[in-house]
Amino acid sequence: MMDVLPADAKQGMSGAVGRCRACSEPLRDVFVDLGMQPLCESYVDEAGLSKPEIFYPLRAFVCRKCLLVQAQDFASPEEIFREYAYFSSYSTSWLEHAARFSREAVSREHLGRDAFVVELASNDGYLLRNFVQMGLRVLGIDPAANVAEAARAQGVPTLVQFFGRSVAEEVAIQHGQADLMVANNVLAHVPEINDFVAGVATLLAPNGVMSFEFPHLLELLRYRQFDTIYHEHYSYLSLLAVEKLLAAHGLEAVDVERLPTHGGSLRLWVAHQGTRRVTGAVATLREEERADGMHDVERYTGFAAEVAALKCDLLKLLVSWREQGLKVAGYGAPGKANTLINYCGIDVDLLSFTVDRNPYKQGKFLPGSHIPIYAPEELSARRPDIIVILPWNLKDEISEQLAYTAEWGARLAVPIPSPGLL
């Protein structure tokens, strides 16, 4: 069962319908419409199977003025993030990524033991614990009490708050300004994006540096990564749009790195305007985005047709496997899988179950589709013929973990960027 939130119920929430959350320009151009969707991290327990679920429109627009791609925020941040099902520490490759970044940042910035490091959306302390081990002073800020508790258990002091200008002012008074700030995959999750960036400008020390990591919109466009669109992601970011946002708050990008994480991400190093030399990497990426058409609204409005084509291809493949009598299961229960599954109308007839390493999700069901989630050991017990890797961005890591399934002849598949066997 589902309850559908009417379109006019949005009135009165932050980021009013029809206005860009960055520059307030009226929104007229649809980027993609993925229909009615539950919140992607709202996993259902067994008792909840007989209760109504709330489905919200999942529709993204592109702003003609600043070219920020953004979803309408029908669900409030409190609904989404106060109790959060995603724990960063259950991805081995992500832990390695965080440890590597921590070492490189200390070396790059010549951070001594008197340095103060702040991470925004610090989750379960997966990153800051590396700085703690190196003897630096740290503070995590995260709105989810359950993941903050896990962070504190690892010795990472964590403030349970939504970050913005007022919180930044309080932290600066109590702890001082930050020499290094980190925000991995959080800028896209912020509905009040101007308040968030204003908070960065407030808390960052005059000679400090901020590292933003976020999935690059250019990669989403090139590789049809539509499943990374969900209610928890309010914005979809390009260098073009982010530079305009930073400039409005006296900040600028001074360096950029390309990362393989999350299907292709950027690490943007940001400082107060005029305090650091801007590297040539920033200009190079600006030109790449321009050459790919990202300065023209038509590049964005053509995306929906590509998404519809991928949906048809994936459904044809799943149906053909069913007609062949093959048993198909999933690996992973990430938020992105719920966008994919609900948009395509996939249920247990086509994907009988999925597994996940996170005990928080085991024994629950995917929202909307009610596909059951088990521990990974269930694969050996049921021996599916096809295993669809739902967090396709981790396919290399997961393929290694699933090498043992070759014992019974299982084959691995991915849904994106092109549905098919590996």
Side-chain angles (χ1 to χ4, degrees):
M1 294 184 289
M2 72 175 182
D3 284 343
V4 174
L5 188 73
D8 61 1
K10 171 68 171 129
Q11 293 177 0
M13 291 186 182
S14 62
V17 166
R19 293 279 176 180
C20 174
R21 63 173 37 89
C23 70
S24 298
E25 182 78 3
L27 295 174
R28 302 182 182 91
D29 299 284
V30 175
F31 178 62
V32 69
D33 188 340
L34 298 174
M36 305 301 298
Q37 298 258 2
L39 299 181
C40 77
E41 295 285 347
S42 58
Y43 296 89
V44 180
D45 59 23
E46 193 162 358
L49 293 176
S50 59
K51 297 177 181 178
E53 289 182 78
I54 298 178
F55 280 48
Y56 302 86
L58 182 54
R59 191 165 49 243
F61 293 83
V62 59
C63 173
R64 281 190 171 242
K65 182 178 180 182
C66 71
L67 294 173
L68 177 68
V69 172
Q70 56 206 278
Q72 292 173 270
D73 45 325
F74 285 93
S76 70
E78 286 75 17
E79 291 176 83
I80 295 171
F81 296 116
R82 283 302 186 190
E83 178 81 10
Y84 204 47
Y86 179 75
F87 286 69
S88 297
S89 292
Y90 286 105
S91 170
T92 303
S93 64
W94 189 245
L95 290 179
E96 293 170 353
H97 174 80
R100 186 166 53 252
F101 167 82
S102 302
R103 293 190 300 269
E104 291 173 356
V106 167
S107 175
R108 173 189 173 113
E109 295 301 313
H110 308 290
L111 298 177
R113 288 181 175 267
D114 59 342
F116 182 35
V117 181
V118 175
E119 185 183 10
L120 310 179
S122 49
N123 201 262
D124 58 8
Y126 74 100
L127 184 140
L128 286 179
R129 69 191 189 191
N130 296 292
F131 292 99
V132 170
Q133 291 168 3
M134 289 185 277
L136 277 69
R137 187 164 59 99
V138 308
L139 178 67
I141 303 175
D142 197 290
N146 60 323
V147 294
E149 183 179 354
R152 290 171 183 148
Q154 298 189 72
V156 177
T158 305
L159 177 65
V160 179
Q161 290 279 7
F162 285 99
F163 182 76
R165 189 200 301 266
S166 62
V167 170
E169 291 171 348
E170 293 173 10
V171 172
I173 291 170
Q174 294 179 16
H175 302 276
Q177 290 181 298
D179 302 290
L180 172 66
M181 295 182 68
V182 184
N184 287 341
N185 302 301
V186 58
L187 190 60
H189 291 75
V190 180
E192 299 292 350
I193 199 166
N194 277 293
D195 183 54
F196 185 90
V197 176
V200 171
T202 299
L203 186 54
L204 188 64
N207 294 314
V209 67
M210 172 89 194
S211 171
F212 283 105
E213 289 185 22
F214 50 84
H216 191 191
L217 180 59
L218 179 61
E219 305 301 322
L220 186 154
L221 287 164
R222 284 176 173 173
Y223 299 106
R224 304 192 294 180
Q225 299 169 355
F226 75 90
D227 60 340
T228 60
I229 298 172
Y230 36 85
H231 299 103
E232 288 85 340
H233 279 179
Y234 295 101
S235 304
Y236 303 85
L237 303 166
S238 63
L239 177 64
L240 171 66
V242 172
E243 284 201 295
K244 292 180 179 180
L245 178 65
L246 294 172
H249 298 279
L251 300 168
E252 64 179 344
V254 295
D255 197 7
V256 63
E257 300 173 54
R258 306 289 287 268
L259 305 173
T261 53
H262 298 286
S265 296
L266 299 181
R267 176 183 291 150
L268 205 60
W269 295 93
V270 171
H272 293 285
Q273 287 178 343
T275 61
R276 296 193 177 213
R277 182 182 67 84
V278 178
T279 71
V282 177
T284 298
L285 184 56
R286 283 190 200 124
E287 183 52 38
E288 183 178 350
E289 288 190 346
R290 181 185 297 276
D292 201 81
M294 295 185 71
H295 288 228
D296 303 312
V297 72
E298 290 76 17
R299 177 69 174 96
Y300 303 88
T301 54
F303 184 64
E306 297 182 43
V307 171
L310 189 151
K311 172 182 178 177
C312 292
D313 291 342
L314 178 58
L315 286 174
K316 286 176 184 176
L317 189 60
L318 291 171
V319 169
S320 72
W321 287 337
R322 176 180 168 82
E323 290 174 342
Q324 295 172 54
L326 300 175
K327 293 183 292 183
V328 182
Y331 186 96
K336 66 175 63 180
N338 296 315
T339 292
L340 174 82
I341 286 169
N342 285 299
Y343 171 67
C344 294
I346 298 167
D347 58 18
V348 292
D349 292 330
L350 297 177
L351 192 72
S352 56
F353 67 94
T354 191
V355 301
D356 199 278
R357 294 174 63 192
N358 186 348
Y360 191 92
K361 298 179 183 179
Q362 293 167 8
K364 295 185 179 180
F365 301 80
L366 299 182
S369 66
H370 293 174
I371 293 170
I373 309 166
Y374 301 123
E377 291 75 19
E378 197 70 18
L379 292 175
S380 295
R382 300 199 182 203
R383 298 194 165 203
D385 301 296
I386 307 288
I387 302 171
V388 181
I389 299 174
L390 296 171
W392 45 263
N393 55 298
L394 300 175
K395 69 179 188 305
D396 293 337
E397 172 188 340
I398 292 170
S399 294
E400 292 181 7
Q401 295 172 6
L402 294 178
Y404 71 92
T405 64
E407 296 172 7
W408 66 83
R411 291 174 290 175
L412 307 181
V414 291
I416 286 175
S418 295
L421 297 169
L422 292 177

